[in-house]
Amino acid sequence: MVLLRQLLGDVLRRLRVRQARTLREVSTLARVSLGYLSEVERGQKEASSELLASICGALGVPLSQVLREVSDQFALAELQHAPVLADVPEHERLPMAETVSTTISGPEFDGFPEVKDMVAA
């Protein structure tokens, strides 16, 4: 099972490393202990929304960007672990395409192209 805290930690660590910043530097700016930040990055602790905002502020990235990246990775992980429809008897299948197309439609909605791109890769 994919854990949200692990994906969140991975994203935060990747952002920090991409900026060539140390745990100590980010923990100081975010006003969180170095050990706790390390545990958040390793997916061992659940970070509160206030703590996430503080870490994102220290990294100079909007919280929405971090959550969007986590959401995309979560969606990809779910797709990779979804059962193959060929293995599911017809009478047990959910009418996914019909449900989505009638629930969410219009010119502004074109499915989830970023998830489709990730799956295609």
Side-chain angles (χ1 to χ4, degrees):
M1 172 173 30
V2 177
L3 296 177
L4 183 60
R5 70 174 185 254
Q6 290 174 332
L7 290 176
L8 183 59
D10 289 344
V11 169
L12 292 172
R13 180 184 302 112
R14 201 169 28 257
L15 286 168
R16 179 180 58 77
V17 169
R18 202 177 298 149
Q19 295 176 10
R21 298 172 81 184
T22 65
L23 270 171
R24 184 172 309 283
E25 180 183 359
V26 174
S27 70
T28 300
L29 290 170
R31 296 185 177 173
V32 61
S33 76
L34 186 136
Y36 196 82
L37 178 58
S38 175
E39 288 179 311
V40 168
E41 282 192 359
R42 287 181 281 139
Q44 295 178 336
K45 294 287 184 185
E46 297 274 354
S48 68
S49 56
E50 292 87 358
L51 180 63
L52 287 175
S54 184
I55 295 169
C56 289
L59 292 169
V61 296
L63 178 56
S64 61
Q65 176 185 335
V66 170
L67 295 176
R68 189 171 27 258
E69 188 170 337
V70 169
S71 176
D72 289 347
Q73 288 185 15
F74 203 91
L76 180 59
E78 286 179 326
L79 287 173
Q80 290 174 341
H81 292 92
V84 177
L85 288 181
D87 297 339
V88 180
E90 183 73 35
H91 68 279
E92 292 180 15
R93 295 182 191 176
L94 295 175
M96 294 292 286
E98 295 86 359
T99 303
V100 172
S101 65
T102 58
T103 307
I104 307 172
S105 61
E108 71 281 355
F109 182 75
D110 184 29
F112 298 96
E114 61 280 350
V115 174
K116 291 176 190 172
D117 292 342
M118 287 187 283
V119 172

